[in-house]
Amino acid sequence: MKLRKYFKNKNVPGPEPLPIFGNLFGMIYKGVYKYDIDIMKKYGKTEGFFECSTPLILTSDINF
């Protein structure tokens, strides 16, 4: 699976992942709660990110 293109191909915004680690370093550095709030502010109500190589969707829009 190509991490960098996974969400782009599905038109889901989100931060650029690192190979193997995904967005894990951002979560460790800021803390999971702060990281989630920061990416919601930057990318909107629904975004995709990676915990290592696992794709995750974070949404605050119940009508998604």
Side-chain angles (χ1 to χ4, degrees), residues 21-51:
F21 299 105
N23 304 108
L24 192 60
F25 290 129
M27 286 183 260
I28 292 170
Y29 178 71
K30 292 181 179 181
V32 175
Y33 176 75
K34 174 108 173 82
Y35 183 78
D36 289 349
I37 296 298
D38 287 349
I39 64 173
M40 271 195 275
K41 287 179 183 176
K42 186 172 183 178
Y43 296 105
K45 292 183 176 184
T46 302
E47 64 277 332
F49 66 99
F50 287 87
E51 281 186 7

Side-chain angles (χ1 to χ4, degrees):
M1 171 173 58
K2 304 259 183 198
L3 293 182
R4 295 180 187 266
K5 294 183 181 180
Y6 185 81
F7 286 118
K8 278 188 180 182
N9 290 341
K10 294 167 180 32
N11 294 321
V12 176
E16 191 74 23
L18 294 172
I20 300 172
F21 299 105
N23 304 108
L24 192 60
F25 290 129
M27 286 183 260
I28 292 170
Y29 178 71
K30 292 181 179 181
V32 175
Y33 176 75
K34 174 108 173 82
Y35 183 78
D36 289 349
I37 296 298
D38 287 349
I39 64 173
M40 271 195 275
K41 287 179 183 176
K42 186 172 183 178
Y43 296 105
K45 292 183 176 184
T46 302
E47 64 277 332
F49 66 99
F50 287 87
E51 281 186 7
C52 295
S53 60
T54 304
L56 300 170
I57 296 278
L58 177 64
T59 187
S60 61
D61 185 4
I62 59 170
N63 295 319
F64 177 68

